[in-house]
């Protein structure tokens, strides 16, 4: 819910500034409509290319139970953010969320805190919006048959984005640990893993934390493939042979070189073209190869989302 927090008490007994917005998960999602979010991400790409943003590499700090703490700041002349996110892949077996966190938004000129946004909801929305912006530039035509591999928050966000932006697409979902009601609530087609190769896919989205490929040999050849789940160098959800034969773009070249296990497993250690290149006018070579977009996440996308949420 949207609420003004004048009377709210924080743990140290201090009052939260009455002008600061505190948005829970549902309010954060509502504040980030897909089209506006994609437009702002494209604008942030241009600003970053022009040197108008400061976005240092995120800190990735190990936690217990195979978890990590991500610390992600991004600064602009008017608005700055810091996101704190903890990711615990083993939480699913405990019935707990995999991702927890928040985004603190401040006025760059005064340091005044303007908002606290729900981290998982913002991350899910901005990640899917980045994927949809990449798809806009990489798709040969509007997707008709899409496969989403995964059953968690990111998979759900990508399904919701596809349903909103590409209603012509039939969406199949393959996920061993899908959230309760995932398939029924979203009205998508469940797909057993052994059936992957029975369809010709226009689009495949992989949104898992797997350490082994989740696509079968040959699946995805010639399609647009988007990998968003594997965000560490020891996570690999895309088959190396698919990656080696693909045209590749990434969301963040610096982050991808340090964290994209999918690219490392395929021996693609060199810097890759990015979504910024696509926004600035680069076009894929029309040679029939798979067009792969690999996303590891960066705070620029969080800044874009914070701008949309606070402005709204």
């Amino acid at each position: 819910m949207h609420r003004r927090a004048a009377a709210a008490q924080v743990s140290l007994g201090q009052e939260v500034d009455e002008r600061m917005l505190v948005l829970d998960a549902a309010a954060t999602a509502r504040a980030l409509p897909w089209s506006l979010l994609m437009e702002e991400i494209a604008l942030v790409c241009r600003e970053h290319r022009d040197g108008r943003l400061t976005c240092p590499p995120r800190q990735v700090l190990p936690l217990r139970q195979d978890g990590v703490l991500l610390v992600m700041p991004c600064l602009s002349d008017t608005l700055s953010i810091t996101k704190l996110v903890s990711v615990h892949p083993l939480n699913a077996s405990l019935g707990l969320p995999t991702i927890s966190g928040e985004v603190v938004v401040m006025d760059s000129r005064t340091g005044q805190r303007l908002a606290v946004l729900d981290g998982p909801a913002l991350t899910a929305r901005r990640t899917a919006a980045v994927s949809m912006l990449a798809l806009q530039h990489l798709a040969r035509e509007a997707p008709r048959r899409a496969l989403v591999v995964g059953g968690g928050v990111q998979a759900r966000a990508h399904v919701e984005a596809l349903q909103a932006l590409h209603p012509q697409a039939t969406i199949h979902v393959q996920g061993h640990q899908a959230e309760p009601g995932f398939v029924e609530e979203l009205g998508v087609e469940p797909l057993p893993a052994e059936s992957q190769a029975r369809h010709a896919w226009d689009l495949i989205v992989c949104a898992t934390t797997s350490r082994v490929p989740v696509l079968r040999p040959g699946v995805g050849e010639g399609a647009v493939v988007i990998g968003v789940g594997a965000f560490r160098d020891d996570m690999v959800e895309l088959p190396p042979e698919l990656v080696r034969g693909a045209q590749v773009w990434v969301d963040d070249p610096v982050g991808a070189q340090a964290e994209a296990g999918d690219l490392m497993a395929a021996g693609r250690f060199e810097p890759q073209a990015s979504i910024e290149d696509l926004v600035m006018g680069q076009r894929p070579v029309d040679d029939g190869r798979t067009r792969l977009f690999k996303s590891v996440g960066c705070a620029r996308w969080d800044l874009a989302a914070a701008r949309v949420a606070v402005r709204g």
Side-chain angles (χ1 to χ4, degrees):
M1 93 187 143
H2 234 141
R3 63 186 176 92
R4 300 288 177 175
Q9 299 291 318
V10 296
S11 59
L12 296 180
Q14 300 170 320
E15 288 193 351
V16 179
D17 192 307
E18 64 179 0
R19 292 162 293 184
M20 186 170 72
L21 293 175
V22 179
L23 280 67
D24 65 10
T28 298
R30 288 195 300 269
L32 299 174
W34 297 114
S35 295
L36 290 179
L37 190 48
M38 290 167 63
E39 291 173 8
E40 196 67 33
I41 290 167
L43 178 60
V44 163
C45 286
R46 297 185 181 96
E47 291 179 2
H48 186 252
R49 184 60 60 95
D50 292 341
R52 290 187 282 154
L53 299 178
T54 300
C55 188
R58 67 183 174 195
Q59 294 187 58
V60 182
L61 308 173
L63 296 172
R64 297 186 62 184
Q65 301 288 20
D66 202 32
V68 294
L69 174 66
L70 310 178
V71 183
M72 304 169 63
C74 187
L75 317 176
S76 72
D77 288 341
T78 56
L79 203 70
S80 297
I81 63 96
T82 297
K83 183 166 78 172
L84 299 173
V85 172
S86 57
V87 184
H88 284 81
L90 301 182
N91 274 7
S93 63
L94 303 175
L96 297 173
T98 299
I99 302 174
S100 301
E102 53 281 321
V103 177
V104 179
V105 188
M106 72 182 71
D107 186 320
S108 299
R109 296 160 294 191
T110 66
Q112 178 189 5
R113 270 54 174 174
L114 302 177
V116 177
L117 310 176
D118 183 82
L122 182 145
T123 301
R125 297 286 287 195
R126 61 81 153 152
T127 303
V130 169
S131 296
M132 295 302 102
L133 182 61
L135 177 64
Q136 178 177 298
H137 291 281
L138 296 178
R140 296 172 175 87
E141 58 185 9
R144 294 283 177 181
R145 188 181 294 274
L147 170 64
V148 176
V149 183
V153 172
Q154 283 293 352
R156 176 182 287 269
H158 280 76
V159 169
E160 291 174 346
L162 285 169
Q163 289 176 330
L165 299 169
H166 296 282
Q168 78 288 339
T170 300
I171 304 170
H172 298 256
V173 172
Q174 177 205 324
H176 296 295
Q177 294 180 322
E179 294 178 328
F182 184 105
V183 171
E184 295 78 8
E185 290 174 19
L186 296 177
V188 294
E189 299 287 339
L191 185 80
E194 60 271 15
S195 299
Q196 282 184 357
R198 296 180 186 173
H199 301 285
W201 306 106
D202 302 310
L203 169 67
I204 297 176
V205 177
C206 293
T208 76
T209 54
S210 179
R211 297 185 181 182
V212 296
V214 296
L215 297 182
R216 301 204 165 197
V219 173
E221 294 290 347
V224 175
V225 176
I226 297 175
V228 302
F231 63 94
R232 296 194 324 215
D233 58 6
D234 62 341
M235 293 179 178
V236 179
E237 57 181 352
L238 302 177
E241 58 273 16
L242 180 69
V243 177
R244 281 193 287 266
Q247 298 181 49
V248 178
W249 288 265
V250 299
D251 69 328
D252 177 44
V254 174
Q257 283 192 278
E259 300 171 359
D262 290 311
L263 302 185
M264 296 175 187
R268 302 195 71 156
F269 296 101
E270 72 279 8
Q272 304 294 331
S274 73
I275 193 170
E276 281 186 14
D277 296 311
L278 294 171
V279 168
M280 300 303 293
Q282 184 188 94
R283 292 294 175 263
V285 177
D286 194 10
D287 57 6
R289 285 189 292 162
T290 300
R291 296 174 178 180
L292 170 62
F293 179 68
K294 175 58 192 168
S295 176
V296 295
C298 75
R300 293 192 293 281
W301 320 139
D302 301 315
L303 176 66
R307 285 177 173 176
V308 173
V310 170
R311 192 165 58 223

